[in-house]
């Protein structure tokens, strides 16, 4: 037997370590380890509840908007106004979050994952890299590298679009408890729409064709990296804000669970628990519902190998993310999503089970980008400049709230408990906590670990298979925010070992 250690896995968000035990070229066991302690739940204790929608955005510099959304939904619930958000407030929240979805998905493919398949020039940032399994011609590689550069421009336009209603990116100031801070005007609607249409053109004519091109060259990756084949979605993009239960609310992306036989079932938030047997947290908090648990770090604990906890639904392992979302809407007979997914399956003369794979995740992410962008073009025209965007409220002395939504990378939940007008307890269960979780209290491997186990490794010195599997999940482990002193003084110097 031999062991492959990849630490850190590069071209992802944050700090992830993968260990794989190899026997006769096949992965027999794998450990996925989050190597950075965050502690945002501890930072939030005893603060004004309204701080949560700003502080939790610092969890990530790439997808902070989903945390603003989840936090505001939790605060809406705790303040008793979750069914009173105005239509303008609801729509602008969707537009801000949607802008971040488009940027994040395009970032993931072109600037993180595509370089596993496309051989770009032998200069930084394209080297160092694994060598061997690149299948495009020199001309095709050059064209795809140009798309890498074009994608940078498109991402900038998505940021600009977000800032029209969110004020800035990262860490917007638009989404708050009660609605949003920015009123729509004709100028803002026009500025948003022309940027959106340019992004949609890129998605239709560049992004989706590039995904198809990669899938044709690397079609064996429709059979690699399946994982647990259980998929969970909370739902996102409210189409009506009057239903208090977020899991029953009418949303563009529906709430649900899908199994390997493509059966869909409901999500019950009370069946979500987090295990910590193999995580560096105190065992007294294992297998509790998020609203009941506390964050008590215990680094060096026996059997621990990750700072990531292990979320489970009814004790079962679930994958979250774009593939889960497209599957839920697909099996729920969403006509638009069904048409999009079937067009890909027809292209490859394949059945839906090929979606349980590395390429299935990439295809689902691209199709979701188009689905969200096309709907945003309708939402922006539904704004009414003369109508309110905000609902007033009073902060209760004692209350609890839950905010369930979707980040670009999957299901995201925030839970808040307020006592004496301050935050007594706060818990975040983020997408990569689901996907990159270590083994749980029953020693069931997490989704990424299951996707790696059983994979054939052709070259242990260049383990393309492992990094292609890991990056297909689009892991996001750490905050991408750094401290900057604008006076030019160095705050500190750190070295990762």
């Amino acid at each position: 037997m031999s062991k492959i250690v990849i630490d850190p896995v590069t071209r992802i968000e944050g700090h992830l370590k993968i260990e794989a035990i190899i026997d006769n070229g096949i992965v027999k066991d794998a450990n996925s380890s989050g190597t950075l302690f965050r502690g945002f739940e501890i930072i939030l204790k005893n603060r004004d509840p309204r701080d949560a929608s700003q502080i939790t955005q610092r969890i990530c510099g790439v997808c902070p908007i989903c945390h603003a959304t989840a936090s505001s939904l939790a605060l809406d619930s705790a303040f008793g106004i979750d069914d009173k958000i105005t239509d303008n407030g609801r729509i602008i929240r969707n537009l801000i979050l949607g802008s971040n979805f488009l940027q994040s998905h395009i970032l993931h493919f072109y600037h993180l994952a595509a370089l596993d398949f496309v051989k770009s020039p032998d200069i930084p940032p394209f080297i160092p890299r694994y060598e061997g399994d690149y299948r495009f011609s020199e001309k095709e590689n050059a064209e795809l590298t140009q798309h890498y550069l074009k994608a940078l421009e498109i991402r900038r336009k998505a940021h600009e679009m977000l800032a029209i209603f969110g004020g800035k990116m990262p860490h917007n100031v638009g989404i708050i408890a009660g609605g949003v801070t920015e009123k729509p005007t004709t100028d803002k609607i026009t500025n948003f729409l022309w940027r959106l249409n340019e992004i949609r053109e890129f998605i239709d004519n560049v992004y989706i064709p590039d995904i198809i091109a990669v899938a044709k060259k690397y079609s064996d990756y429709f059979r690699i990296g399946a994982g647990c084949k259980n998929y969970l979605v909370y739902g996102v993009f409210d189409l009506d804000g009057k239903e208090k239960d977020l899991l029953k609310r009418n949303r563009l992306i529906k709430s649900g669970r899908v199994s390997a036989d493509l059966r869909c079932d409901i999500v019950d938030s009370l069946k979500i628990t987090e295990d910590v047997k193999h995580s560096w947290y105190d065992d007294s908090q294992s297998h509790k519902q998020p609203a009941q648990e506390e964050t008590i770090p215990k680094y060096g604990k026996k059997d621990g190998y990750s700072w990531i906890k292990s979320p489970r639904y009814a004790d079962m392992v679930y994958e979250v993310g774009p593939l889960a979302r497209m599957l839920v809407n697909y099996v729920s007979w969403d006509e638009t999503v069904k048409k999009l997914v079937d067009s890909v399956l027809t292209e490859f003369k394949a059945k839906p089970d090929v979606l349980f794979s590395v390429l299935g995740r990439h295809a689902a992410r691209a199709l979701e980008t188009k689905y969200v962008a096309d709907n945003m073009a309708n939402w922006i025209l539904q704004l009414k400049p003369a109508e309110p965007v905000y609902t007033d409220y009073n902060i209760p002395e004692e209350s609890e709230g839950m905010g369930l939504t979707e980040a670009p990378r999957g299901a995201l939940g925030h839970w808040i408990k307020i006592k004496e007008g301050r935050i007594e307890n706060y818990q975040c269960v983020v997408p990569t906590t689901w996907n990159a979780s270590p083994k749980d209290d029953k020693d069931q491997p997490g989704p990424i670990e299951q996707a790696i186990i059983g994979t054939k490794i052709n070259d242990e010195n260049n383990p393309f298979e492992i990094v292609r599997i890991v990056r297909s999940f689009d892991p996001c482990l750490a905050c991408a925010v750094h401290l900057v002193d604008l006076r030019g003084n160095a705050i500190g110097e750190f070295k990762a070992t």
Side-chain angles (χ1 to χ4, degrees):
M1 286 193 184
S2 58
K3 185 176 185 180
I4 295 175
V5 179
I6 307 173
D7 182 20
V9 179
T10 57
R11 282 191 278 113
I12 64 169
E13 306 300 333
H15 305 74
L16 179 70
K17 174 183 177 182
I18 295 292
E19 296 177 286
I21 303 298
I22 314 296
D23 186 14
N24 290 323
I26 305 295
V27 178
K28 295 299 181 183
D29 194 13
N31 281 356
S32 165
S33 306
T35 60
L36 180 68
F37 176 62
R38 311 303 307 287
F40 274 83
E41 291 93 342
I42 297 171
I43 294 170
L44 284 162
K45 281 181 176 289
N46 298 317
R47 286 185 173 270
D48 186 313
R50 294 168 296 185
D51 289 350
S53 63
Q54 283 301 312
I55 291 176
T56 58
Q57 288 190 69
R58 272 65 186 176
I59 289 173
C60 181
V62 175
C63 53
I65 312 304
C66 57
H67 290 289
T69 303
S71 180
S72 295
L73 289 171
L75 293 173
D76 291 345
S77 171
F79 298 166
I81 54 170
D82 43 346
D83 57 347
K84 298 179 177 61
I85 304 302
T86 67
D87 285 343
N88 270 352
R90 171 181 58 79
I91 293 168
I92 291 176
R93 282 180 173 180
N94 284 347
L95 293 171
I96 295 172
L97 181 58
S99 300
N100 191 223
F101 261 65
L102 306 189
Q103 183 278 140
S104 183
H105 284 355
I106 292 169
L107 158 69
H108 171 258
F109 179 67
Y110 284 100
H111 304 133
L112 301 179
L115 298 178
D116 288 333
F117 305 98
V118 178
K119 189 170 186 179
S120 293
D122 297 335
I123 57 174
F126 305 118
I127 55 172
R129 65 186 169 218
Y130 291 143
E131 298 291 351
D133 187 25
Y134 293 106
R135 306 177 191 175
F136 284 111
S137 68
E138 187 175 338
K139 180 182 177 183
E140 290 168 329
N141 279 321
E143 183 178 359
L144 288 162
T145 302
Q146 287 300 311
H147 295 171
Y148 172 104
L149 298 174
K150 179 66 176 177
L152 290 169
E153 180 185 337
I154 295 299
R155 286 176 53 204
R156 175 173 57 79
K157 290 184 183 297
H159 282 325
E160 291 172 350
M161 193 167 67
L162 186 157
I164 289 172
F165 293 114
K168 65 187 182 72
M169 171 67 193
H171 309 146
N172 88 103
V173 291
I175 298 176
I176 57 172
V180 296
T181 58
E182 194 73 15
K183 294 181 179 179
T185 66
T186 303
D187 282 350
K188 291 172 187 171
I189 291 171
T190 303
N191 281 328
F192 192 98
L193 189 56
W194 78 259
R195 287 180 173 84
L196 177 60
N197 285 336
E198 187 172 348
I199 295 169
R200 292 171 68 199
E201 185 177 337
F202 177 83
I203 295 166
D204 289 345
N205 299 320
V206 181
Y207 184 14
I208 290 178
D210 283 351
I211 289 286
I212 298 294
V214 168
K216 286 181 176 177
K217 288 287 184 183
Y218 295 84
S219 59
D220 48 324
Y221 277 83
F222 275 125
R223 301 184 298 277
I224 294 175
C228 62
K229 299 183 181 178
N230 294 318
Y231 302 90
L232 180 142
V233 179
Y234 293 151
V236 65
F237 300 120
D238 292 347
L239 302 180
D240 187 334
K242 305 309 176 191
E243 170 59 56
K244 293 175 77 71
D245 187 338
L246 295 172
L247 295 173
K248 295 179 180 176
R249 185 170 284 185
N250 184 21
R251 290 173 150 174
L252 180 71
I253 306 290
K254 304 177 190 307
S255 166
R257 293 178 292 119
V258 172
S259 52
D261 57 0
L262 295 182
R263 287 190 304 172
C264 192
D265 209 339
I266 63 170
V267 176
D268 178 353
S269 64
L270 296 178
K271 293 185 178 180
I272 298 168
T273 55
E274 288 195 296
D275 290 355
V276 298
K277 177 181 177 182
H278 294 284
S279 309
W280 291 312
Y281 296 95
D282 194 279
D283 286 333
S284 65
Q285 301 303 304
S286 199
H287 207 63
K288 287 188 174 183
Q289 295 173 5
Q292 309 302 322
E293 65 179 294
E294 288 187 61
T295 300
I296 306 176
K298 197 169 184 179
Y299 182 64
K301 184 184 84 174
K302 182 186 177 186
D303 296 329
Y305 62 89
S306 180
W307 282 113
I308 301 173
K309 299 177 184 178
S310 299
R312 297 293 184 260
Y313 183 92
D315 293 335
M316 294 175 63
V317 180
Y318 276 83
E319 177 179 337
V320 299
L323 175 57
R325 292 192 288 261
M326 289 295 95
L327 285 171
V328 167
N329 272 37
Y330 182 79
V331 301
S332 301
W333 290 93
D334 179 313
E335 289 297 330
T336 303
V337 169
K338 196 164 188 318
K339 185 177 178 181
L340 286 171
V341 173
D342 284 342
S343 69
V344 172
L345 297 176
T346 301
E347 177 82 28
F348 293 94
K349 298 180 176 59
K351 296 181 178 178
D353 60 355
V354 303
L355 297 171
F356 310 147
S357 65
V358 167
L359 289 178
R361 293 187 190 95
H362 288 304
R365 192 172 287 107
L367 297 179
E368 180 179 73
T369 310
K370 174 176 173 54
Y371 186 50
V372 172
D374 289 351
N375 277 277
M376 289 170 67
N378 295 325
W379 297 336
I380 186 71
L381 298 177
Q382 294 171 10
L383 290 173
K384 298 176 180 175
E387 296 192 0
V389 298
Y390 175 75
T391 302
D392 205 0
Y393 56 82
N394 294 313
I395 300 176
E397 281 296 299
E398 293 192 15
S399 187
E400 295 185 21
M402 175 176 68
L404 301 179
T405 185
E406 294 283 320
R409 296 166 178 82
L412 171 66
H414 284 203
W415 285 260
I416 186 171
K417 185 174 184 181
I418 300 170
K419 189 172 183 180
E420 297 179 352
R422 315 293 288 183
I423 296 175
E424 183 182 60
N425 196 28
Y426 203 99
Q427 287 294 322
C428 308
V429 181
V430 308
T432 300
T433 317
W434 288 93
N435 287 337
S437 63
K439 297 176 179 67
D440 57 27
D441 287 6
K442 295 182 177 179
D443 291 328
Q444 298 180 101
I448 288 179
E449 293 175 336
Q450 290 195 32
I452 295 173
I453 293 171
T455 300
K456 185 177 186 302
I457 307 299
N458 289 319
D459 178 0
E460 293 186 21
N461 293 317
N462 293 282
F464 275 105
E465 297 84 358
I466 292 177
V467 292
R468 285 171 178 163
I469 290 170
V470 171
R471 292 192 183 107
S472 73
F473 283 87
D474 192 10
C476 180
L477 290 100
C479 180
V481 178
H482 303 274
L483 294 177
V484 177
D485 187 328
L486 297 178
R487 294 167 298 184
N489 300 323
I491 297 174
E493 188 171 322
F494 305 91
K495 181 179 181 181
T497 59

